[in-house]
C-alpha cells in the first residue's frame, strides 16, 4: 500500500490544469444504456472510480473504449442485455446505483445490489426507490438486491423529493427521458453535475428543462440517439487546489477554473482573506496576508457550501486567527479527518454534526491515516503548511477522485512524493 510524504514549506507558484468532474462522469457514463447508438465523453478524468464504472457497464454488456490516454471514453450499449448489477462491483463504489434508472428505462427491469455501508454516512436509497415507484416501477429488496420491474415501461409522474438528493435526481432524470408522458421532479438537486447530465441527455435527443433549478421537467421520448459530450470541470478538484496557495503561500493559476461552479466557496475564501481573480484561462488564487481569519461554515446542497470541500476547509481553518464552527448538514459522519488533524497539533472539538476549530499558530508534521477521499486530500493540504514531514497512509482513497495529485502539486513547487510502504 502506498503512502504520500509531504514536507511543509512553500510558497507555491505556477499553474494546475483542472480535470473533468468525477461526479459528472459517473452519472454521464450510465446514460449510454439509454440509447443503442454510441456516446462519446471528452475531457473525462482518469480515476479508479471511472475504471469501476467501466467495469460495471461492461458487465451489463456495454462496450467501452478509450482514446487520448483515457481522456476520451467511447461507450456503446448496443448489445447490452444484462439488467443485473452485481454486488462484487457495486460494493466498490456507491455511484454504481446510477445504473438503476437507465436499466429500468431500457429493459423495464433492473436488479441492482444495494451498495452497503459507507464511511461518511448511512446513505439510503429511499428517494430513488419512491420516485421510480411513482413512475410505475414495482421494487422489492431481496438478498441485498433491489429487484425493479416496470411492465409496459415507466410512466411520467410528479415527484416531490424530501431532500434534494444528487443521485436520485440523476437516476430519475435518466429514467424519465424514455418514460411515457411528463415527469416533474420538485426539490430536485441543482448541482452543476446535474446540469451537465441534462446537457448531455439533450444532445442525445431528450426533452429536459429546469435543470439547475429546484424543479426539473422531462418529456419522455420514444428513443435517444448517440452524441458527443465534454465533461464539465471538476469543481471539487478545483476547490481543493485553490486552497493550496492559501495553505502554503504564493500564487497559483487553476486552468479551466470557473467561479460560477463555486460561488459560496469563493465568498468564504474572501472572508478568510484569500483573493480569487478570474484570468483568461481560469482562476488565480493567493492569500492577502500570512494570517487567515476564522469563519463559520455550513454545508448545504448547491448553491450552498459543498460538503466535498468541508474537510479541506477545516484543515485550512486549523491555523486561522480565532474560532471557526463547521456544521456538516449533508452527511452524518463526515468529520473523520478531525482526529488526524488533531494528531498534527490542531485544536478541534466535534459534537455530532458540529466541529469547533480554534486556530493554532502552526501544525506539525506527523504520520496520519486517510479515511475517505476528501479527508485524505485535506491531510495533504495540511502537510503543505505543517512543520516537518507528514506521512499519509491508505492513499488509495485519493486515486478514486484525484488524478496525478503528486505531479500537480509538485508542478507548483510542493515537496511531495508517493512511496510504497509495508503498512
Ligand atoms: C453525490 O453523492 C456525490 N457523489 C457526493 O460526492 C456528494 O458528497 C453528494 O452528492 C452531495 O453533494 C457522486 O456524485 C458520485 P445525495 P450522492 O444523494 O448522490 C441522503 C465525493 O466525495 N439520501 O445528494 O450519494 C444521503 O444519505 C462524494 O465525491 C437519502 O436519505 O448524494 C445524504 O445524507 C462523496 N435518501 C444526503 O441525502 C436517498 O435516497 C445527500 O445524498 C438519497 C440520499
Amino acid at each position: 500500500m502506498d503512502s504520500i510524504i509531504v514536507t511543509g514549506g512553500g510558497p507555491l507558484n505556477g499553474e494546475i490544469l483542472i480535470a473533468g468532474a468525477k461526479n459528472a462522469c459517473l452519472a454521464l457514463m450510465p446514460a449510454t444504456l439509454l440509447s443503442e447508438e454510441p456516446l462519446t465523453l471528452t475531457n473525462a478524468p482518469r480515476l479508479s472510480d471511472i475504471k469501476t464504472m467501466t467495469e460495471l457497464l461492461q458487465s451489463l454488456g456495454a462496450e467501452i473504449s478509450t482514446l487520448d490516454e483515457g481522456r476520451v471514453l467511447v461507450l456503446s450499449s448496443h448489445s447490452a442485455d444484462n439488467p443485473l448489477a452485481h454486488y462484487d462491483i457495486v460494493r466498490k463504489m456507491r455511484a454504481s446505483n446510477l445504473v438503476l434508472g437507465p436499466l429500468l428505462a431500457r429493459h423495464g427491469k433492473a436488479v441492482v445490489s444495494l451498495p452497503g455501508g459507507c464511511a461518511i454516512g448511512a446513505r439510503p436509497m429511499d428517494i430513488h426507490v419512491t420516485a421510480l415507484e411513482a413512475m410505475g416501477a414495482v421494487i422489492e429488496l431481496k438478498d441485498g438486491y433491489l429487484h425493479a420491474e416496470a411492465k409496459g415501461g415507466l410512466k411520467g409522474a410528479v415527484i416531490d423529493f424530501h431532500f434534494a438528493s444528487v443521485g436520485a435526481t440523476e437516476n430519475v432524470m435518466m429514467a424519465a427521458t424514455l418514460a411515457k408522458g411528463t415527469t416533474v421532479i420538485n426539490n430536485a438537486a441543482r448541482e452543476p453535475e446535474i446540469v451537465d447530465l441534462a446537457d448531455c441527455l439533450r444532445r442525445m435527443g431528450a426533452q429536459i428543462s429546469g435543470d439547475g433549478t429546484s424543479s426539473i421537467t422531462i418529456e419522455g421520448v420514444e428513443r435517444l440517439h448517440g452524441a458527443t459530450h465534454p465533461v464539465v470541470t471538476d469543481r471539487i478538484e478545483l476547490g481543493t487546489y485553490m486552497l493550496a496557495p492559501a495553505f502554503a503561500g504564493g500564487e497559483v493559476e487553476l486552468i479551466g477554473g470557473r467561479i460560477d461552479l463555486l460561488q459560496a466557496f469563493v465568498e468564504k475564501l474572501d472572508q478568510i482573506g484569500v483573493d480569487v481573480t478570474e484570468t483568461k484561462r481560469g482562476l488565480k488564487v493567493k492569500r492577502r496576508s500570512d494570517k487567515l481569519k476564522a469563519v463559520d461554515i455550513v454545508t448545504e446542497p448547491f448553491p450552498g457550501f459543498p460538503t466535498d470541500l468541508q474537510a479541506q476547509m477545516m484543515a485550512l481553518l486549523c491555523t486561522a486567527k480565532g474560532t471557526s464552527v463547521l456544521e456538516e448538514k449533508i452527511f452524518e459522519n463526515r468529520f473523520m479527518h478531525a482526529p488526524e488533524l488533531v494528531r498534527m497539533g490542531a485544536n478541534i472539538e466535534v459534537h455530532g454534526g458540529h466541529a469547533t476549530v480554534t486556530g493554532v499558530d502552526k501544525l506539525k508534521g506527523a504520520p496520519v491515516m486517510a479515511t475517505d477521499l476528501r479527508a485524505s486530500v485535506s491531510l495533504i493540504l495540511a502537510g503543505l503548511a505543517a512543520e516537518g514531514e507528514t506521512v499519509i497512509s491508505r492513499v488509495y482513497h485519493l486515486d478514486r477522485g484525484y488524478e496525478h495529485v503528486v505531479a500537480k502539486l509538485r508542478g507548483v513547487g510542493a515537496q511531495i512524493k508517493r512511496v510504497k510502504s509495508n503498512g
Side-chain angles (χ1 to χ4, degrees), residues 22-23 26 94-95 98 120 122-128 162-168 170 191 235 307-308 330-332 334 373-374:
K22 166 181 82 82
N23 290 346
L26 289 176
R94 307 190 58 77
L98 293 171
I120 64 177
R123 304 181 76 175
M125 286 186 64
D126 58 304
I127 304 175
H128 304 237
H162 69 75
F163 183 86
S165 156
V166 172
E170 292 164 337
E191 272 69 3
R235 65 194 167 101
T307 173
D308 296 345
I330 308 292
F331 293 106
E332 58 274 24
R334 203 170 201 181
L373 168 60
R374 307 303 172 184

Side-chain angles (χ1 to χ4, degrees), residues 72-241:
V72 176
L73 300 172
V74 182
L75 307 103
S76 166
S77 55
H78 183 271
S79 40
D81 53 5
N82 172 19
L84 169 71
H86 201 281
Y87 175 65
D88 287 349
I89 304 177
V90 173
R91 68 183 172 76
K92 291 189 229 171
M93 179 183 71
R94 307 190 58 77
S96 306
N97 64 19
L98 293 171
V99 299
L100 176 62
L103 283 173
L104 256 181
R106 182 189 178 105
H107 299 302
K109 180 181 167 59
V111 181
V112 176
S113 169
L114 274 183
C118 170
I120 64 177
R123 304 181 76 175
M125 286 186 64
D126 58 304
I127 304 175
H128 304 237
V129 170
T130 311
L132 292 168
E133 286 174 335
M135 297 175 72
V138 176
I139 304 182
E140 210 191 331
L141 176 61
K142 246 186 324 193
D143 314 325
Y145 284 79
L146 289 175
H147 292 253
E149 203 155 1
K151 291 210 174 76
L154 293 168
K155 301 174 197 56
V158 176
I159 296 160
D160 299 311
F161 282 177
H162 69 75
F163 183 86
S165 156
V166 172
T169 303
E170 292 164 337
N171 245 330
V172 175
M173 194 161 69
M174 288 193 273
T177 55
L178 297 174
K180 290 187 192 60
T182 306
T183 299
V184 179
I185 308 173
N186 293 321
N187 195 23
R190 303 170 54 190
E191 272 69 3
E193 295 76 32
I194 303 283
V195 174
D196 199 45
L197 177 61
D199 281 344
C200 177
L201 294 169
R202 276 189 286 266
R203 286 170 198 262
M204 295 170 75
Q207 303 284 324
I208 302 175
S209 56
D211 46 296
T213 76
S214 298
S215 184
I216 302 177
T217 301
I218 307 106
E219 305 286 346
V221 295
E222 274 301 305
R223 57 181 296 281
L224 294 181
H225 50 73
T228 297
H229 178 79
V231 179
V232 71
T233 297
D234 193 319
R235 65 194 167 101
I236 306 302
E237 188 197 28
L238 171 63
T240 301
Y241 290 125

Side-chain angles (χ1 to χ4, degrees), residues 209-349:
S209 56
D211 46 296
T213 76
S214 298
S215 184
I216 302 177
T217 301
I218 307 106
E219 305 286 346
V221 295
E222 274 301 305
R223 57 181 296 281
L224 294 181
H225 50 73
T228 297
H229 178 79
V231 179
V232 71
T233 297
D234 193 319
R235 65 194 167 101
I236 306 302
E237 188 197 28
L238 171 63
T240 301
Y241 290 125
M242 284 169 74
L243 291 181
F247 276 88
E251 184 173 64
V252 172
E253 184 174 12
L254 297 308
I255 310 302
R258 287 168 37 194
I259 283 194
D260 64 313
L261 296 173
L262 285 175
Q263 196 67 47
F265 176 74
V266 171
E267 281 158 20
K268 285 293 170 189
L269 287 185
D270 181 49
Q271 290 169 28
I272 291 172
V274 178
D275 284 337
V276 178
T277 44
E278 289 180 285
T279 65
K280 282 208 188 67
R281 302 187 300 165
L283 301 175
K284 224 173 218 165
V285 179
K286 70 174 185 193
R287 57 188 187 195
R288 284 196 286 271
S289 76
D290 285 356
K291 204 60 192 168
L292 302 174
K293 294 196 207 85
V295 74
D296 293 343
I297 303 275
V298 180
T299 64
E300 287 171 307
F302 191 89
F305 188 96
T307 173
D308 296 345
L309 286 170
Q310 177 259 99
Q312 300 91 317
M313 191 60 106
M314 178 190 277
L316 184 67
L317 294 168
C318 289
T319 54
K321 193 165 180 340
T323 299
S324 310
V325 176
L326 292 90
E327 182 178 358
E328 174 55 59
K329 286 175 77 174
I330 308 292
F331 293 106
E332 58 274 24
N333 186 31
R334 203 170 201 181
F335 285 138
M336 290 194 294
H337 38 283
E340 301 301 316
L341 290 167
V342 168
R343 286 178 50 73
M344 297 177 72
N347 178 348
I348 307 171
E349 280 181 41

